[in-house]
Amino acid sequence: QEQLVESGGGLVQAGGSLRLSCVASSGLLKTNVMGWYRQVPGKQRELVATITPVGSTNYDDSVKGRFSITRDDAKNTMYLQMNDLKTEDTAVYYCNRWRDDSWGQGTRVTVSS
């Protein structure tokens, strides 16, 4: 019954922007701390940003000032606005409940130089 579906990834040049979306099961976003994660093959998955049910946010230092996590409870959708993208941001991005070890397919972001 719990489901998270990511979308919005793609190929973008360095300095460009992308907006990722995560459609969640009804009520999930307003009752859980949520996060955007990313993973590069051969590397550990890392937490990029979190948002609490009351809207408090936290960002990894590598994306602070460039990325913004938001959500729309009425639409059951969480977003990750990514600006000033760098080649180091290339990864598969996932949305999930904080500290949940069950993962979906994610959405791939490729930043070219």
Side-chain angles (χ1 to χ4, degrees), residues 4 6 35-39 45-47 93-106:
L4 297 164
E6 304 95 337
W36 280 99
Y37 301 75
R38 65 186 180 187
Q39 186 171 33
R45 182 182 289 107
E46 65 177 353
L47 180 62
Y93 285 72
Y94 304 85
C95 64
N96 207 352
R97 292 182 293 180
W98 185 54
R99 300 184 67 179
D100 195 321
D101 288 330
S102 181
W103 303 96
Q105 295 183 359

Side-chain angles (χ1 to χ4, degrees), residues 18-20 36 48-51 57-59 63-71 78-83:
L18 282 175
R19 182 186 182 228
L20 307 184
W36 280 99
V48 175
T50 58
I51 185 167
T57 59
N58 188 263
Y59 300 90
V63 306
K64 194 171 298 180
R66 299 188 297 119
F67 290 12
S68 179
I69 184 172
T70 59
R71 71 173 196 272
M78 185 172 69
Y79 305 95
L80 184 67
Q81 179 66 49
M82 305 184 294
N83 299 321

Side-chain angles (χ1 to χ4, degrees), residues 75-92:
K75 293 182 173 63
N76 293 309
T77 303
M78 185 172 69
Y79 305 95
L80 184 67
Q81 179 66 49
M82 305 184 294
N83 299 321
D84 191 25
L85 282 161
K86 306 180 184 300
T87 56
E88 304 95 289
D89 297 318
T90 295
V92 176

Side-chain angles (χ1 to χ4, degrees), residues 29-34 50-59 68-73:
L29 299 180
K30 66 179 181 180
T31 57
N32 292 273
V33 177
M34 302 295 299
T50 58
I51 185 167
T52 72
V54 296
S56 299
T57 59
N58 188 263
Y59 300 90
S68 179
I69 184 172
T70 59
R71 71 173 196 272
D72 186 331
D73 293 337

